[in-house]
Amino acid sequence: MAPVRLPLQALLAAVMIQTAAAETIPLPPPKPETGAHTDKPIEKQLPQPATTAEPAPLPSVDSINPDRFGAKPADAAYGAFQRGLYKTAYNLALTRAQNGDPAAQTLVAEILSRGLGVPLNAAEASKWYALAAEQGVPEAQFQYALMLLDGRYVKKDPKEAYALMQAAAEAGNQLAQFNFAQMLVRQDPGDTGLAKAVSYYERAAATGLADAQYAMSQIYANGVGGKPRDDAQARRFLAQAARQNYDTAQIDLAAWMIEGRGGARDLKSAFGWTKQAAEGGNVAAQNRLAKLYMQGIGTDPDLVLAGAWYIVARRAGLIDPDMDDFLQGLSDDQTKQALQKANRLP
């Protein structure tokens, strides 16, 4: 099923406050080429929508919760799905789905929408999601709402999508809670919209959704949406999202640790978070990591590794004039070593 992303323009307009004091170390924003990552302060960064933008990993015994399908105790179809026997699960669920079982309808839709053991058929999946959504299955309501917003496999219907997303959010679906918050902000840009959305961000964050945790960090960092500015609380939310490998939270948390914002300065941990984000492919983090190596912040100075990480970031399209100057100042031998190391880095 193709991804659906809710626009962020409204949320961008909602969080407009003055930029906080500069970071302790100089991290000037680069001038990226088209499509490159940018290296911005936290006040201007906003969460990405939590949708099905990336294909979900294949289910495992530990990761599949039958509650997603509106099921009661696990049945034979769910059991087969849990064991990776998708064709068997589809065949077992289909008969029950055709007889009106909402859990089976949701399971059939899930299998079809992801092409698990059967040909991917998003249009057919939409029909089953619609039937299950009518019977109040939150997962089906969420998935069908995304399809209604997208309009590729069903007729676009933002009004119905809004209603279904809200119903799924109220029922406790964490992705629906986050996306419904995004919809509220888009519908009513500014602090009023954020105030309506905050409770949904909070509920999704409490379930452990990293996107929502990052959203709450922004709300507390800026004191918007009816929440007072609270750097300590914002930092706690950043840490929660960072621990889930949310790379933007990792580089923001590192910057706060260097600055001592919202808590004690911790240069070693800041280096570690930046390195983790850089190794995960975040280009802004790769540039920041180069600077930490260059200046010996949280680690021993290493000009070769500084050069190597900047080369990696630059190859990805990030251009930082200060780091270009640094790179040109390396000796021929250091440049050669940096290139060699860059070729081996993630």
Side-chain angles (χ1 to χ4, degrees):
M1 181 172 62
V4 177
R5 285 190 171 275
L6 302 181
L8 290 175
Q9 287 89 343
L11 194 51
L12 284 166
V15 187
M16 295 295 291
I17 76 165
Q18 295 181 347
T19 302
E23 298 175 2
T24 303
I25 59 171
L27 292 169
K31 299 176 182 178
E33 298 170 353
T34 301
H37 292 253
T38 55
D39 197 355
K40 298 178 180 178
I42 187 170
E43 284 76 13
K44 295 186 183 300
Q45 292 173 336
L46 294 164
Q48 294 298 308
T51 69
T52 53
E54 295 297 330
L58 294 183
S60 68
V61 172
D62 295 329
S63 65
I64 294 300
N65 181 347
D67 291 342
R68 284 187 55 227
F69 308 111
K72 299 302 182 184
D75 58 19
Y78 164 72
F81 181 85
Q82 190 180 41
R83 295 193 302 275
L85 303 174
Y86 305 121
K87 180 63 173 175
T88 299
Y90 176 81
N91 290 334
L92 289 170
L94 184 59
T95 299
R96 288 176 48 204
Q98 291 168 337
N99 289 328
D101 186 298
Q105 290 168 345
T106 308
L107 183 56
V108 167
E110 172 92 356
I111 293 170
L112 287 168
S113 69
R114 294 169 59 188
L116 299 175
V118 299
L120 190 151
N121 190 333
E124 184 67 15
S126 71
K127 298 175 185 177
W128 291 112
Y129 275 136
L131 291 170
E134 288 176 1
Q135 298 193 67
V137 178
E139 176 70 14
Q141 291 171 330
F142 169 65
Q143 296 292 350
Y144 193 56
L146 291 179
M147 289 181 159
L148 289 169
L149 288 171
D150 185 40
R152 264 180 283 187
Y153 304 106
V154 297
K155 184 179 179 180
K156 185 176 288 191
D157 189 341
K159 185 176 180 180
E160 179 64 13
Y162 182 96
L164 287 173
M165 194 72 78
Q166 183 176 20
E170 296 294 352
N173 183 291
Q174 59 175 198
L175 294 179
Q177 288 166 344
F178 184 88
N179 276 290
F180 187 61
Q182 299 284 73
M183 294 173 80
L184 288 169
V185 172
R186 182 189 178 197
Q187 183 184 67
D188 191 0
D191 200 58
T192 302
L194 279 172
K196 295 176 182 176
V198 161
S199 66
Y200 293 98
Y201 284 134
E202 283 185 307
R203 288 161 62 184
T207 69
L209 185 66
D211 304 73
Q213 291 165 344
Y214 185 76
M216 289 306 301
S217 77
Q218 302 301 284
I219 287 165
Y220 277 111
N222 292 290
V224 293
K227 296 292 186 182
R229 175 166 171 166
D230 187 336
D231 284 353
Q233 183 77 309
R235 182 160 160 171
R236 281 192 286 272
F237 276 114
L238 279 178
Q240 289 173 14
R243 284 193 288 269
Q244 295 195 70
N245 209 32
Y246 196 99
D247 57 353
T248 306
Q250 290 169 343
I251 60 176
D252 288 350
L253 179 61
W256 283 41
M257 287 178 163
I258 291 168
E259 183 183 346
R261 181 175 174 183
R265 295 185 76 204
D266 187 345
L267 302 183
K268 185 175 180 181
S269 293
F271 173 83
W273 284 119
T274 306
K275 189 170 185 287
Q276 186 170 330
E279 290 175 342
N282 185 292
V283 180
Q286 292 165 350
N287 189 46
R288 291 190 178 205
L289 184 61
K291 293 181 177 183
L292 296 182
Y293 273 121
M294 179 178 69
Q295 299 178 42
I297 295 176
T299 188
D300 294 330
D302 191 323
L303 300 184
V304 170
L305 275 174
W309 277 109
Y310 178 61
I311 289 169
V312 171
R314 205 179 194 291
R315 285 172 175 170
L318 188 151
I319 301 173
D320 185 328
D322 289 346
M323 293 305 294
D324 278 343
D325 290 343
F326 160 76
L327 204 59
Q328 291 185 11
L330 296 178
S331 68
D332 290 344
D333 184 57
Q334 288 172 324
T335 300
K336 180 180 178 180
Q337 291 182 55
L339 285 166
Q340 290 173 341
K341 286 184 179 292
N343 291 336
R344 296 195 295 270
L345 288 174

